[in-house]
Amino acid sequence: MTETAFNPAGTVRNAVHQMDIRNILQWLTSPAAPQPVDELPILRSHLQALREIQVTSVQRAHALDRMYKRGMRVIACLLPSLTRDLVLPVPRKTRRIVNGVLGLLQMLADDMLALLEESSLARPPELALWRSLQALAQQLMISHLIACPAPTGAWQQLHQTYARARRLQVDTAVPRGTSRRLQDVYYSAVLLGCAQPTSLTPQEVLFLADYFERFSDQVEPISTELSVTSATFWIDPARDVAAFSALRKLSRPTAPLDCFSCVRLCFLLRAQIAQLDAGISAPELNLPDFAGTSAGRGVLGRLATRWSDLGKRRFIRRRQNHRALLGSGIDGLWHLGQKGAPASVNVSTWMVTNESPEGYAVMHVSGNTGVLSVGNVVAIRTDADQNWQVCLVRWALSENPEHLELGLQILAPKAVPAILAQPSHDTGTEYLRVLILPEIPKLRSGQSLVVATGTLPKEREKLLLLIEGDNVSVREVSRTGIEEQTGSVEIMSIAPIQNPF
């Protein structure tokens, strides 16, 4: 009589594995948690468990498919709350949530790629590659939202995942259940990285991410041997960085470079801006609603200009390490411009790390920074100059809750505080605090007015300004053009109205 060997430990282990996969699948059928943030740790723990237990390739693919869909739904629900009223530096609680989201996206991207290694899984590779690219693109976009450097390895993994799709000749495929090619997912992420995301507010990052999703097919891959322009970019798949402008000199690449052109996209941008200015609505042009706002048109305009005319830096930056005081916002600058600025004006201390005649790079040292955002105005006063210089925040970088760096462009050596009177038939006269920037020879031929975005009707050409100095003076001016539009301020050129009598 033959005896059959029996392995109790192996039987128990297999039973545990089956129980684990049943638990995962049962959780995936349960209703979503009332708060999306509560789903993040559970999703990550189930993904980790799925990596460790022994299941068939079909079971793993089925569970990953459902976890990917649920994870993306959770992240889509979280994004509005993460970006609403976001201030810099990002608070600890918000950053913890963001780190949880980034960790989940990394696990999804890795596990989707791991599916391709399952030799017994007979299914087309494009869906797993598409989802891995999408998870990495979302991870990069969310890093841009909080002005944080991309996670280590994210750009390199994005480039190499797309290179794999090209080797398998599925880069132009549209997997079932999706609406875009793998190539479009990849270039959407790359274009957002080329748009200098540190110079964008969270709302502007989301807007451009949506815009590139719709129009990334305008990108033209080209040979590196063709002549380069300001709208041409290089990608080194072996490096963990976004695309480089082709006008920049690169160190010797470790791998063949990929090259693409945004010339066609720039033509489209300028045509869309002209149509928006002519009164055509954003939805009619297949644009996100934000494109119809002043800030939206400003973003598109800056992007078209940047990619059409990327000039060299005019001035050399000089490294510094001296202190400066900083005040922010139109109201703060308005008070600082008064002779007797109230003690309640919010002023913080910063370290100037480098400077040029055009502006400064500064790092926060101490004090309440107030509400700071890219595109807002600030005033800076250094030990060498007791005037409050007026600057525009061009970029922001925040690696952790205690770290904040800003890039400031100097607008004027000082500003004159004024009151803008806006008569209204419905609510009476409204009075707004504004700033008048003086004329600067060889740079600005006339005066400019800084107002909060959206406070001045587009059709109002004549403006009444009240200026309080030694005496109160009243000036009537007309606006002659728009110099800058951001999500926080509009800067317009003005000219005095000559009285014919």
Side-chain angles (χ1 to χ4, degrees):
M1 181 175 178
T2 305
E3 294 185 1
T4 304
F6 180 69
N7 184 355
T11 304
V12 171
R13 189 183 304 112
N14 186 59
V16 170
H17 292 158
Q18 291 302 316
M19 182 178 66
D20 286 341
I21 189 64
R22 283 199 301 269
N23 288 342
I24 292 173
L25 295 176
Q26 183 178 5
W27 178 80
L28 286 168
T29 61
S30 64
Q35 299 298 325
V37 68
D38 296 334
E39 297 248 322
L40 292 176
I42 306 175
L43 274 164
R44 292 198 304 273
S45 66
H46 283 324
L47 281 169
Q48 185 61 42
L50 190 60
R51 291 177 175 182
E52 297 171 355
I53 61 178
Q54 295 177 1
V55 292
T56 66
S57 299
V58 173
Q59 287 176 318
R60 189 182 309 279
H62 176 64
L64 272 179
D65 175 74
R66 296 175 65 179
M67 278 198 275
Y68 176 88
K69 293 176 180 177
R70 183 150 180 169
M72 286 302 186
R73 284 197 301 269
V74 167
I75 293 169
C77 292
L78 277 173
L79 276 180
S81 61
L82 290 178
T83 55
R84 190 183 302 119
D85 302 324
L86 190 66
V87 297
L88 295 176
V90 177
R92 288 184 179 277
K93 181 179 179 181
T94 303
R95 194 175 288 270
R96 279 198 299 269
I97 296 172
V98 170
N99 288 339
V101 171
L102 296 180
L104 173 62
L105 287 167
Q106 185 64 56
M107 295 182 77
L108 289 172
D110 293 341
D111 289 355
M112 285 298 162
L113 282 181
L115 278 182
L116 299 180
E117 311 304 330
E118 299 273 1
S119 58
S120 61
L121 194 61
R123 63 165 54 192
E126 55 263 28
L127 181 59
L129 286 166
W130 190 98
R131 285 177 168 176
S132 185
L133 284 172
Q134 179 69 3
L136 292 167
Q138 284 284 97
Q139 187 184 56
L140 290 164
M141 187 268 288
I142 291 170
S143 298
H144 301 327
L145 283 176
I146 62 169
C148 182
T152 303
W155 280 113
Q156 188 175 30
Q157 187 174 353
L158 182 84
H159 298 323
Q160 294 180 353
T161 302
Y162 181 64
R164 187 171 185 175
R166 291 174 64 183
R167 287 196 302 271
L168 295 173
Q169 299 182 343
V170 296
D171 52 307
T172 58
V174 181
R176 180 179 297 180
T178 69
S179 58
R180 296 193 296 155
R181 301 175 299 176
L182 278 79
Q183 176 178 302
D184 296 331
V185 176
Y186 173 69
Y187 278 117
S188 294
V190 170
L191 287 171
L192 189 56
C194 295
Q196 297 183 9
T198 56
S199 68
L200 303 170
T201 65
Q203 193 173 17
E204 291 167 350
V205 169
L206 291 175
F207 163 57
L208 281 187
D210 191 354
Y211 180 89
F212 292 140
E213 282 185 10
R214 303 181 191 210
F215 300 109
S216 59
D217 58 352
Q218 299 296 310
V219 167
E220 301 171 277
I222 60 175
S223 169
T224 55
E225 298 176 357
L226 296 178
S227 59
V228 298
T229 68
S230 55
T232 307
F233 293 88
W234 284 331
I235 297 172
D236 185 348
R239 298 179 65 177
D240 187 27
V241 289
F244 293 95
S245 168
L247 298 181
R248 290 182 56 185
K249 292 183 179 180
L250 300 182
S251 58
R252 186 175 182 85
T254 56
L257 295 177
D258 295 326
C259 195
F260 67 92
S261 170
C262 294
V263 170
R264 192 166 63 182
L265 183 59
C266 285
F267 281 126
L268 178 64
L269 276 165
R270 293 194 180 280
Q272 290 168 334
I273 294 167
Q275 290 171 309
L276 288 169
D277 290 341
I280 302 176
S281 68
E284 290 179 88
L285 299 173
N286 188 31
L287 291 171
D289 291 338
F290 188 71
T293 65
S294 298
R297 287 196 296 276
V299 172
L300 296 179
R302 292 198 301 274
L303 196 60
T305 301
R306 185 179 298 148
W307 287 353
S308 299
D309 183 24
L310 186 62
K312 293 183 179 179
R313 189 182 302 280
R314 294 190 299 167
F315 302 103
I316 298 175
R317 292 175 176 171
R318 300 187 303 274
R319 292 188 180 277
Q320 302 288 350
N321 61 351
H322 58 83
R323 299 292 178 99
L325 298 178
L326 198 75
S328 63
I330 290 180
D331 280 353
L333 272 62
W334 192 92
H335 285 298
L336 289 173
Q338 299 286 340
K339 287 185 176 180
S344 59
V345 175
N346 191 35
V347 175
S348 50
T349 303
W350 297 68
M351 177 74 73
V352 176
T353 56
N354 68 57
E355 66 177 302
S356 77
E358 291 184 312
Y360 303 92
V362 296
M363 182 169 62
H364 181 240
V365 175
S366 64
N368 185 357
T369 59
V371 180
L372 274 175
S373 65
V374 172
N376 209 342
V377 287
V378 299
I380 185 170
R381 192 178 75 185
T382 64
D383 295 336
D385 186 356
Q386 292 305 302
N387 288 326
W388 288 96
Q389 290 180 296
V390 182
C391 302
L392 191 68
V393 181
R394 281 301 186 191
W395 56 262
L397 183 64
S398 176
E399 296 183 3
N400 56 63
E402 286 78 32
H403 172 257
L404 180 60
E405 293 183 53
L406 302 178
L408 308 178
Q409 177 192 346
I410 299 173
L411 297 177
K414 61 179 180 179
V416 177
I419 296 292
L420 173 63
Q422 286 203 99
S424 173
H425 296 295
D426 300 327
T427 60
T429 302
E430 182 182 8
Y431 298 96
L432 303 174
R433 288 171 177 163
V434 297
L435 303 170
I436 301 174
L437 304 182
E439 170 186 349
I440 302 177
K442 297 183 180 181
L443 290 179
R444 187 166 49 238
S445 58
Q447 294 183 331
S448 300
L449 192 68
V450 183
V451 301
T453 295
T455 58
L456 196 59
K458 188 177 180 181
E459 63 277 1
R460 183 158 293 167
E461 295 294 336
K462 294 183 179 181
L463 309 173
L464 191 64
L465 298 174
L466 284 71
I467 304 170
E468 184 178 353
D470 295 332
N471 297 304
V472 176
S473 62
V474 178
R475 291 175 53 193
E476 192 173 18
V477 300
S478 63
R479 58 179 177 182
T480 57
I482 296 291
E483 298 178 7
E484 188 84 35
Q485 290 176 313
T486 74
S488 300
V489 299
E490 293 182 13
I491 305 174
M492 57 192 69
S493 54
I494 57 174
I497 296 177
Q498 300 297 329
N499 192 332
F501 301 105

